[in-house]
Amino acid sequence: MSQDLFSPVQLGELSLNNRMVMAPMTRARATRDGFATDIMAKHYAQRASAGLVVTEGVYPSEQGKGYFNTPGIANDAQASSWQKVVEGVHQQDGKMVMQLMHCGRIAHPLNRKADLAIVAPSAIKPKASLFTHEGMKALLKPQALLTSEIQTVIDEYSLAAKSAMAIGFDGIELHCTSGYLPAQFLASNSNQRSDSYGGSTQCRCRFVLELIEALVGVVGSGRLGLRIGIGNTYNDHHDDNPAKTYQYLLKEINFFPLAYIHALVNGDFDGDTPAFIRNLSSHPIMLNDGYNKESANAAIKQGNADAVSFGRAFIANPDLVERFLDDFPLNVLNDKTLYQGGEKGYIDYPLIND
Ligand SMILES: Cc1cc2nc3c(=O)[nH]c(=O)nc-3n(C[C@H](O)[C@H](O)[C@H](O)COP(=O)(O)O)c2cc1C
């Protein structure tokens, strides 16, 4: 039987009803203290017909917080606030993983506890800015993590993953692209360390590999996904040789029982990203970035993808699965309410059956 977006799939231990994944999307609807809110529970439950829902980036420690009104899982109270969210998705027979996102140097003191240092692999100021309640602000020079502090960061991730699993998440996705902390370690422009976590390809990959090992130890076999972007340069991270970095990384990752590799396909990379990953990786592959029903089905048919994630289309169409199935027209995205607006542009997009 030929497979398409609507056929079930097994990604590690995750049994998906279909291959349409809701991509992780920061929407800034948490409280200032990082608690998941009731409208977040409603938003995700509305989209639970996706084969898998990936949460927005969630900070594993207060030090990992970068953005305004984003949620965390850095303490018990924040963890408990997620229970209603994951239960809402499960009640609709959906599956949900939490994306852990440590922002590293992509952070501003106005968005978090001001006395916490902003940390990164190296003390290099990113040429980027981000939104705060006082408007857009240029980023600052971070502090380089001491070698002895790196294990603490890994332990914080592990604790966060443990809390997420304890309240019922089906797994964890590690955010390892878009210029956040793991990507800062991988990229040659943001990692200029001279210890065993910087320098050669192997050393720049060490943090990510140690983190994966720790997280697999917490979540178990087949429940950890990894988000990557080969040649992704978002937030001023640039690697001199992404092909070499990912050739090594993807091969090493084959030693771990991951659920999936979630790859952004549009990077500054001279090559066919899906084929490159397929050739190197033994894990199920989820592709993302600019797909529609036709191109996603083509990627599945060609054997390049086991699943495809959709971002903006799921924002505007809670019932995207049904719309794709029956070729119904799609709602138009309101980009003014991506990061603000409360309920507006968040839980009020119409369903086809409204
Ligand atoms: C509002 C918004 C917030 C996003 N936040 C995140 C995030 O927290 N974590 C992440 O990995 N990607 C994030 N992304 C990227 C999306 O997951 C996805 O890669 C992107 O939207 C491209 O997919 P699409 O063409 O299907 O929309 C975000 C995208 C948007 C539009």
Side-chain angles (χ1 to χ4, degrees):
M1 200 180 77
S2 87
Q3 283 149 350
D4 65 9
L5 279 175
F6 312 109
S7 48
V9 67
Q10 190 71 26
L11 306 180
E13 291 296 314
L14 307 175
S15 308
L16 276 51
N17 290 332
N18 61 63
R19 295 162 189 251
M20 289 178 63
V21 176
M22 179 178 166
M25 282 175 294
T26 293
R27 302 298 307 280
R29 260 66 171 197
T31 68
R32 265 183 108 146
D33 291 333
F35 296 118
T37 53
D38 289 349
I39 60 169
M40 285 168 63
K42 184 156 185 198
H43 169 80
Y44 284 113
Q46 285 174 337
R47 288 154 180 82
S49 56
L52 179 68
V53 175
V54 186
T55 68
E56 61 212 278
V58 179
Y59 57 86
S61 62
E62 293 293 339
Q63 193 154 53
K65 184 178 189 187
Y67 293 97
F68 184 63
N69 281 359
T70 49
I73 186 154
N75 57 53
D76 289 346
Q78 286 173 354
S80 301
S81 74
W82 280 102
Q83 194 137 13
K84 57 185 174 289
V85 183
V86 69
E87 281 174 6
V89 169
H90 284 163
Q91 275 159 15
Q92 309 287 325
D93 195 28
K95 297 265 156 51
M96 191 173 206
V97 297
M98 176 179 280
Q99 186 188 61
L100 291 181
M101 170 170 136
H102 188 308
C103 292
R105 65 181 189 161
I106 309 301
H108 197 280
L110 284 172
N111 288 347
R112 60 201 222 138
K113 294 195 165 77
D115 55 340
L116 279 175
I118 292 172
V119 297
S122 301
I124 301 168
K125 180 169 132 69
K127 293 187 197 80
S129 51
L130 59 69
F131 186 72
T132 72
H133 63 269
E134 293 181 11
M136 289 305 281
K137 296 278 178 197
L139 293 176
L140 310 171
K141 186 173 168 177
Q143 274 181 27
L145 281 164
L146 300 174
T147 310
S148 58
E149 290 171 333
I150 290 180
Q151 187 58 48
T152 309
V153 175
I154 293 175
D155 291 345
E156 288 166 347
Y157 267 103
S158 296
L159 202 60
K162 198 171 167 193
S163 304
M165 297 306 284
I167 55 166
F169 275 91
D170 298 291
I172 294 292
E173 178 173 297
L174 174 61
H175 196 346
C176 191
T177 179
S178 307
Y180 302 114
L181 188 71
Q184 290 161 28
F185 270 94
L186 294 180
S188 49
N189 83 320
S190 46
N191 181 349
Q192 300 191 358
R193 300 177 71 89
S194 53
D195 65 0
S196 60
Y197 291 92
S200 66
T201 303
Q202 283 82 345
C203 290
R204 279 185 283 111
C205 291
R206 188 182 309 279
F207 174 72
V208 170
L209 291 170
E210 288 184 357
L211 191 48
I212 289 172
E213 184 174 11
L215 289 174
V216 167
V218 171
V219 304
S221 180
R223 294 195 178 272
L224 178 70
L226 180 71
R227 187 158 225 222
I228 59 168
I230 304 177
N232 180 288
T233 58
Y234 191 62
N235 281 321
D236 189 31
H237 81 300
H238 302 265
D239 193 12
D240 285 344
N241 194 341
K244 191 173 172 203
T245 302
Y246 280 90
Q247 208 149 24
Y248 174 74
L249 190 70
L250 288 168
K251 279 191 181 158
E252 289 297 308
I253 287 168
N254 286 338
F255 291 109
F256 298 105
L258 297 194
Y260 60 84
I261 304 280
H262 187 180
L264 288 159
V265 293
N266 297 317
D268 185 6
F269 171 65
D270 275 344
D272 177 343
T273 301
F276 180 84
I277 299 172
R278 196 45 117 192
N279 285 337
L280 288 166
S281 180
S282 57
H283 297 301
I285 295 168
M286 187 188 293
L287 297 180
N288 170 254
D289 209 358
Y291 283 91
N292 58 27
K293 176 180 168 179
E294 288 70 34
S295 56
N297 270 328
I300 291 170
K301 278 209 168 56
Q302 286 156 9
N304 281 334
D306 299 285
V308 176
S309 75
F310 301 90
R312 290 158 293 180
F314 259 118
I315 291 180
N317 301 276
D319 50 356
L320 187 65
V321 177
E322 192 183 345
R323 285 174 193 259
F324 272 9
L325 250 176
D326 294 330
D327 286 320
F328 286 132
L330 300 186
N331 294 323
V332 176
L333 181 81
N334 176 1
D335 57 14
K336 295 195 176 53
T337 52
L338 286 179
Y339 303 107
Q340 60 183 351
E343 297 187 2
K344 202 167 148 18
Y346 193 57
I347 54 171
D348 59 356
Y349 280 103
L351 303 176
I352 202 82
N353 291 323
D354 278 349

